Amino acid sequence: MSKYDIIVVGSGPGGYVTAIRASQLGFKVAVVEKESLGGVCLNWGCIPTKALLKSAQVFDYLNHASDYGLKVEKADKDFSAVVKRSRNVAEGMSKGVQFLMKKNKIDVLNGNGKLLKGKKVEVTDKNDKKTTYEADHVIIATGARSRELPNLPQDGKKVIGYRKAMTLEKQPKSMIVVGSGAIGVEFASFYNAMGTDVTIVEYLPNIVPVEDEEVSKQFERIYKKKGIKIMTNSSVESVDTSGKNVKAKVKTKKGEESLEADIVLSAVGIKTNIENIGLEEVGIKTEKDKIQVNDFYQTNIPGYYAIGDVTHGPALAHVASAEGILCVEKIAGMKVEAIDYGNIPGCTYSNPEIASVGMTEKQAKEAGYDIKVGKFPFSASGKASASGAKDGFVKVIFDAKYGEWLGCHMLGAGVTDMIAEAVLGRKLETTGHEVLKTIHPHPTMSEAVMEAVADAYDEVIHL
Amino acid sequence: MSKYDIIVVGSGPGGYVTAIRASQLGFKVAVVEKESLGGVCLNWGCIPTKALLKSAQVFDYLNHASDYGLKVEKADKDFSAVVKRSRNVAEGMSKGVQFLMKKNKIDVLNGNGKLLKGKKVEVTDKNDKKTTYEADHVIIATGARSRELPNLPQDGKKVIGYRKAMTLEKQPKSMIVVGSGAIGVEFASFYNAMGTDVTIVEYLPNIVPVEDEEVSKQFERIYKKKGIKIMTNSSVESVDTSGKNVKAKVKTKKGEESLEADIVLSAVGIKTNIENIGLEEVGIKTEKDKIQVNDFYQTNIPGYYAIGDVTHGPALAHVASAEGILCVEKIAGMKVEAIDYGNIPGCTYSNPEIASVGMTEKQAKEAGYDIKVGKFPFSASGKASASGAKDGFVKVIFDAKYGEWLGCHMLGAGVTDMIAEAVLGRKLETTGHEVLKTIHPHPTMSEAVMEAVADAYDEVIHL
Amino acid sequence: RGNQFYSPLVEQIAKDYHISYEELARIPASGQNGRLKKSDIFNYIENGRPF
Ligand SMILES: Cc1cc2nc3c(=O)[nH]c(=O)nc-3n(C[C@H](O)[C@H](O)[C@H](O)COP(=O)(O)OP(=O)(O)OC[C@H]3O[C@@H](n4cnc5c(N)ncnc54)[C@H](O)[C@@H]3O)c2cc1C
Ligand SMILES: Cc1cc2nc3c(=O)[nH]c(=O)nc-3n(C[C@H](O)[C@H](O)[C@H](O)COP(=O)(O)OP(=O)(O)OC[C@H]3O[C@@H](n4cnc5c(N)ncnc54)[C@H](O)[C@@H]3O)c2cc1C
């Protein structure tokens, strides 16, 4: 029986990053994967959706070429080429992980992994051959899949999940997107740009409901201007797929409405992959669909760990990676600091983009802070004017007493690359003053951060 | 005679920002401007060039639409529409400054300002009417203009400066750009994208010579791939404009070469506007074409100050603004900290963009530091792959002893919005460790910063 | 201000509670490289400023 220092089950951004860091730290490592290296993120999540959204952005430029002094005779999309490009990008990334595994001398065990007692993992390959491996430490990183609602069963044809939504053979004329989290609005953004008639149905009062209310409201206005229909405080009661289209019964505050579309995309969250992986046999505790772990990702059974989507905390790729790195650094005996879950950026790569970190205004107030709020709209930014990207704003929230940067919320072009400043600033426990006196280059979108802080302290220049 | 607390001469990003901050602090302020509000930056610099470069970027997308699964039958630019858009953006910004002046109750005195003894300013309007104003503090912010070399006299037709270069009626078929600082390479980028045959002539061994050598080298390779001809270690000895084209004699290491082009753009730096503004009469000291000031922008004569391009330090808009703000905050008696000129970001908005802050590798070594260097290429970034923007890298330099972040150098799409993280981190005196443990969102270009830092400490994941 | 670097936030809190740099230097720091964090200083205050 082959013996490893560490076996990681699942090769998503949790698993494969964990394996690389473990190998760097001198461990002998194997990673078990039943599908494609890179997990949801590289194959069905972060990466392929961003490729689609890039095509959407470029298509948007084609359609507005004259705004920039340019002429286009006939702009069109080749839907299947757009999808194919996305698949190629994903494949390339997955191959990249393969290369990284080799380079770091990590064994890839292809097959379905199941935990056994005594820190063993049984791997069943595609020919149903079972092999058992032993390790000092077993790390569970089996991730998650699309959640199915009982009244919205996915048939993979007319009612689909995210995988199908990024590989449709034909562009639908109309689409109902159920759920307006990051995944839902990103697909809405993509299909709207492609020319599909999109309707978003959201149960809560605001779309992108985890964001600051001002972001949600402004985002909703912009989406509506683009022609996306938005139904908030609404839920899909049932779908009828018997006809040519799908018919959806939607319960709204005003009563029931009937919608029809080519396709319904269910984007109502995720379901963790915790079934049939041996948790019960080993005795590993779960709670509300998640594997229970402590600050260092140790489960209740010594030698077994869990990281990524399969545990509590936001289901994000960068969180999965950070958890995995911390987990193995702790195993290696390094002095580590637990992750501050209050300082994790969240991004939505729609058009315009959303990025945020820390508390929303409402959360800060509810937490009892006396706050200073500042806001700077891109409509007042020189760079935004030059770029034709005046939608959105940066909003900052500070504790009035000590000046702590409680939250930062951004809506606009390129903000997903701008939020890092706020995350680092908060990590370093800055106050508003230092941000204000940090000379931001002109002309950039990032100046809006400095100006928003200035606004919080009544020193804003360009408003 | 009208009396003000503060009179600012010149309304560029130095002058108008100074005036606004002064007004916020309760001063009665006037600003003297002989041309357009907003100075070079808004009217002839930062803003109109970024508008042109945006059109170039979109045109690039049109020409590469098929890379994104899109189809374009006939893409073309309307050169004069591109220029017109740029002028409209600049005009809009200048009007914005007008609005800000009004809102902040700042008097705009149109005309040519000249300093008189006794903290007076004489303003000559376009009808040659002279009015004298008095103030407690006079701030000189008269900026700079294109520098003319004796062997490269600008005739405004075939040998031009930056103003003409952004308002040409007809797109030149070929252009020689003399000087490869930010301004030179930005125009080279724009005209190359538009289809003009561009040759850059640079006196020093590398283009963008203030940047880290690795940035310069990689940038040169990318530019050459785009078809831009680059002659380094070369200087224009003379130009002959007598024929239909311009003929330029260029001295290279290998001997003299003769070039021909429709137009020569002289982008060899700036000359400050310090003539005929009364410096000699008042007795204000200058040195090497710059007004001498201390840390708080006070000249040798009490009550007279100077900020922006007209003083020492990098000729950048954000520097001018920051100097002006500090100057009036000091006048107001606030406790202020002098600007750290070692922590000023510099950006070049070419394609790809360049952004940097702090020391280059060479400078760090010359300063005697024992350094750790890390580099992460965008070719290994998932977001860059998805966006089709794999050119470039992030390079970081740390002091090996205490971990100080000595420098950060970026080349790639959108990096001008990403450098703020490094500027703030350095302001807060971070070490590499905190940056590494700051969870950057996935998938973003900004992850490259974290990965470059990881590389410096041999912990990089995706290489 | 001693030889230690304190984050701007820690400085603000220290000022508010009249904690001197000498006192700050005695507070156990949980951040990497002995970086004193907001949570450290508040723990210390809650514990009745034992040092
Ligand atoms: C459409 C979409 C877009 C997204 N966009 C983003 C984004 O932009 N940014 C972001 O941060 N997050 C995004 N996410 C979320 C992100 O993909 C997840 O948070 C991330 O993939 C979780 O990583 P993980 O390693 O925990 O699990 P996963 O990526 O789910 O990987 C788990 C792996 O384990 C394998 N596996 C499962 N069970 C077994 C078993 N028994 N044996 C062997 N192998 C097994 C699976 O095949 C899979 O490869 C997106 C998700 C979706 C669906
Ligand atoms: C093509 C180009 C692109 C640039 N791009 C960037 C960039 O992207 N980012 C960046 O940071 N910097 C950029 N710069 C540099 C930037 O424009 C300058 O650093 C900045 O404008 C300096 O500001 P200032 O206020 O000191 O002077 P200026 O902007 O030069 O303003 C001086 C003002 O004073 C007025 N004036 C002069 N003399 C008198 C007088 N006697 N009486 C009354 N008024 C007077 C002038 O008319 C002018 O309006 C660029 C420059 C150029 C030329």
Side-chain angles (χ1 to χ4, degrees), chain C:
Chain C
R1 58 178 272 178
N3 293 322
Q4 172 88 23
F5 175 82
Y6 294 110
S7 79
L9 183 57
V10 163
E11 295 234 356
Q12 280 305 316
I13 297 166
K15 213 186 273 170
D16 197 59
Y17 282 89
H18 304 290
I19 298 175
S20 69
Y21 286 114
E22 289 72 32
E23 191 175 354
L24 271 182
R26 292 194 291 269
I27 303 176
S30 71
Q32 195 74 19
N33 306 324
R35 196 174 178 105
L36 191 72
K37 301 200 305 184
K38 169 192 152 193
S39 52
D40 299 324
I41 189 167
F42 276 130
N43 280 339
Y44 171 77
I45 290 164
E46 270 163 35
N47 291 336
R49 296 169 74 162
F51 311 111

Side-chain angles (χ1 to χ4, degrees), chain B residues 228-296:
Chain B
I228 296 174
K229 285 173 221 87
I230 294 178
M231 301 171 75
T232 47
N233 289 310
S234 303
S235 57
V236 173
E237 294 295 286
S238 66
V239 285
D240 171 5
T241 57
S242 62
K244 202 173 157 273
N245 292 346
V246 210
K247 287 198 184 89
K249 279 215 176 88
V250 180
K251 203 173 101 187
T252 72
K253 278 209 160 164
K254 289 179 202 147
E256 210 174 76
E257 273 190 51
S258 190
L259 300 181
E260 230 182 292
D262 285 354
I263 276 188
V264 172
L265 167 59
S266 170
V268 292
I270 55 167
K271 161 76 195 77
T272 56
N273 296 320
I274 56 171
E275 310 90 341
N276 309 317
I277 57 168
L279 295 182
E280 301 76 9
E281 290 84 340
V282 178
I284 293 171
K285 275 196 201 151
T286 60
E287 187 190 40
K288 286 191 199 147
D289 200 38
K290 306 266 185 174
I291 298 178
Q292 271 191 323
V293 290
N294 67 10
D295 273 1
F296 306 111

Side-chain angles (χ1 to χ4, degrees), chain B residues 34-208:
Chain B
K34 64 174 182 180
E35 219 182 312
S36 306
L37 284 173
V40 170
C41 176
L42 264 61
N43 298 287
W44 303 105
C46 328
I47 298 300
T49 52
K50 281 22 157 209
L52 295 176
L53 287 161
K54 182 71 193 185
S55 289
Q57 186 198 43
V58 175
F59 192 48
D60 229 48
Y61 282 132
L62 300 197
N63 288 326
H64 294 93
S66 65
D67 295 355
Y68 301 93
L70 306 169
K71 292 184 291 193
V72 171
E73 214 124 280
K74 242 169 95 187
D76 205 358
K77 76 263 154 187
D78 176 346
F79 187 76
S80 62
V82 168
V83 169
K84 198 171 158 209
R85 172 177 183 272
S86 161
R87 296 323 301 160
N88 285 344
V89 169
E91 246 171 60
M93 293 306 298
S94 184
K95 282 216 183 95
V97 174
Q98 209 171 312
F99 162 81
L100 289 172
M101 296 296 102
K102 211 178 249 169
K103 198 199 137 202
N104 287 284
K105 302 192 174 59
I106 295 160
D107 286 352
V108 177
L109 312 174
N110 293 304
N112 193 80
K114 189 173 173 186
L115 312 179
L116 304 178
K117 281 199 172 173
K119 296 185 276 185
K120 294 198 187 82
V121 178
E122 178 190 78
V123 179
T124 310
D125 75 7
K126 58 179 189 282
N127 303 319
D128 249 343
K129 205 186 131 221
K130 290 186 201 305
T131 317
T132 302
Y133 302 87
E134 207 183 330
D136 287 338
H137 310 273
V138 177
I139 302 177
I140 309 161
T142 49
R145 60 188 186 271
S146 181
R147 183 172 148 222
E148 292 211 39
L149 294 184
N151 46 347
L152 204 58
Q154 297 175 19
D155 64 6
K157 290 203 177 94
K158 290 184 198 158
V159 181
I160 62 175
Y162 58 79
R163 288 202 185 201
K164 190 72 194 172
M166 63 182 84
T167 50
L168 286 173
E169 297 79 39
K170 245 188 72 204
Q171 184 190 343
K173 285 216 174 58
S174 55
M175 180 182 264
I176 298 167
V177 178
V178 186
S180 72
I183 296 177
V185 298
E186 286 184 10
F187 277 113
S189 205
F190 169 69
Y191 278 104
N192 167 258
M194 289 289 123
T196 297
D197 200 3
V198 176
T199 304
I200 296 177
V201 180
E202 168 59 52
Y203 180 72
L204 294 168
N206 288 311
I207 57 166
V208 283

Side-chain angles (χ1 to χ4, degrees), chain B residues 412-426:
Chain B
V415 296
T416 54
D417 276 325
M418 278 167 50
I419 195 71
E421 177 185 4
V423 189
L424 180 62
R426 284 164 41 81

Side-chain angles (χ1 to χ4, degrees), chain B residues 234-428:
Chain B
S234 303
S235 57
V236 173
E237 294 295 286
S238 66
V239 285
D240 171 5
T241 57
S242 62
K244 202 173 157 273
N245 292 346
V246 210
K247 287 198 184 89
K249 279 215 176 88
V250 180
K251 203 173 101 187
T252 72
K253 278 209 160 164
K254 289 179 202 147
E256 210 174 76
E257 273 190 51
S258 190
L259 300 181
E260 230 182 292
D262 285 354
I263 276 188
V264 172
L265 167 59
S266 170
V268 292
I270 55 167
K271 161 76 195 77
T272 56
N273 296 320
I274 56 171
E275 310 90 341
N276 309 317
I277 57 168
L279 295 182
E280 301 76 9
E281 290 84 340
V282 178
I284 293 171
K285 275 196 201 151
T286 60
E287 187 190 40
K288 286 191 199 147
D289 200 38
K290 306 266 185 174
I291 298 178
Q292 271 191 323
V293 290
N294 67 10
D295 273 1
F296 306 111
Y297 310 101
Q298 298 159 336
T299 67
N300 62 309
I301 306 291
Y304 294 85
Y305 311 76
I307 57 137
D309 277 8
V310 91
T311 65
H312 288 278
L316 293 167
H318 41 291
V319 174
S321 299
E323 289 174 348
I325 289 172
L326 194 85
C327 176
V328 291
E329 287 183 350
K330 178 74 180 176
I331 291 175
M334 286 174 66
K335 206 184 133 209
V336 293
E337 211 178 315
I339 288 175
D340 172 7
Y341 283 90
N343 199 27
I344 305 233
C347 291
T348 304
Y349 302 79
S350 43
N351 174 14
E353 299 178 353
I354 304 172
S356 59
V357 68
M359 293 187 216
T360 63
E361 182 170 348
K362 202 170 151 206
Q363 286 167 343
K365 280 182 183 153
E366 282 170 4
Y369 283 102
D370 182 17
I371 56 175
K372 276 188 190 299
V373 175
K375 207 173 130 184
F376 191 80
F378 286 118
S379 58
S381 147
K383 185 62 184 301
S385 279
S387 306
K390 298 211 260 186
D391 274 341
F393 58 83
V394 173
K395 175 175 175 175
V396 293
I397 299 160
F398 288 91
D399 167 31
K401 194 163 177 198
Y402 301 116
E404 182 179 358
W405 196 353
L406 297 174
C408 185
H409 306 275
M410 302 174 166
L411 175 70
V415 296
T416 54
D417 276 325
M418 278 167 50
I419 195 71
E421 177 185 4
V423 189
L424 180 62
R426 284 164 41 81
K427 170 98 184 165
L428 294 165

